[in-house]
Amino acid sequence: MPAKRREVREAAFLLSFEKLFRQEDMLEDIFEAALEINEILVDDEVESVVRGIYERREELDQIIAKYSDKRAVSRIPKINLAVLRLAIYEALYDEKVPVNVAISEAVSLTQKYALEPDIAFVNGVLGSFAKSLNSEKEDKAE
């Protein structure tokens, strides 16, 4: 039975978060470790999302920096950075995930794994990002 999108998303988030602490390790090392402990889903879809986030991390961080007017990306807690990268990646590169779903799921992950003040921060950054996407679509439609 294929994994549910929410399971894929949470696993991708956890593995992306882990990668933030293990800069010298290759993604394969992190996937292998996750498979060994057998507590985090690792399948082709999860690996694809994690690889996509990792390959586009500089672009994603530029977008985060643009909408995070209170904190530089280097000052954003890693848990929030992992959530923001995932949500923006899904919104831009996964045609199966609507922007509002990516944001809603990111806020849910933040509620589950981060601190209370982080929820408003993540929601604010993603809300500003979503507004800019909507205005870009409107501009193209005109």
Side-chain angles (χ1 to χ4, degrees), residues 34-109:
L35 285 168
E36 284 177 21
I37 62 169
N38 200 28
E39 291 181 14
I40 299 173
L41 171 71
V42 179
D43 65 9
D44 291 342
E45 194 172 0
V46 171
E47 286 187 22
S48 175
V49 173
V50 173
R51 286 181 203 287
I53 291 167
Y54 184 72
E55 290 166 3
R56 291 182 170 91
R57 68 190 180 283
E58 289 177 18
E59 173 194 352
L60 299 172
D61 288 354
Q62 287 175 351
I63 294 168
I64 293 165
K66 182 177 178 180
Y67 299 107
S68 173
D69 53 357
K70 294 180 181 162
R71 296 183 206 163
V73 171
S74 63
R75 306 276 304 157
I76 295 173
K78 287 179 173 33
I79 197 104
N80 296 346
L81 186 58
V83 168
L84 290 167
R85 283 178 174 175
L86 172 63
I88 294 170
Y89 174 81
E90 283 189 312
L92 292 176
Y93 297 107
D94 191 334
E95 60 276 349
K96 296 179 283 183
V97 180
V99 174
N100 63 327
V101 171
I103 292 171
S104 176
E105 291 292 321
V107 170
S108 293
L109 285 170

Side-chain angles (χ1 to χ4, degrees), residues 13 71 77 79-80 83 106-123:
F13 157 73
R71 296 183 206 163
I79 197 104
N80 296 346
V83 168
V107 170
S108 293
L109 285 170
T110 307
Q111 289 170 333
K112 183 173 180 178
Y113 290 102
L115 301 173
E116 187 68 32
D118 297 328
I119 299 166
F121 173 75
V122 167
N123 196 32

Side-chain angles (χ1 to χ4, degrees), residues 1 9 24 28-30 44 50 52-53 68-70 77 84-85 98 112-113 120-121 128-129 132-134 142:
M1 184 169 104
R9 181 179 292 110
E24 72 285 347
E28 282 69 27
D29 297 336
I30 293 170
D44 291 342
V50 173
I53 291 167
S68 173
D69 53 357
K70 294 180 181 162
L84 290 167
R85 283 178 174 175
K112 183 173 180 178
Y113 290 102
F121 173 75
S128 296
F129 166 71
S132 76
L133 284 182
N134 288 336
E142 291 177 359

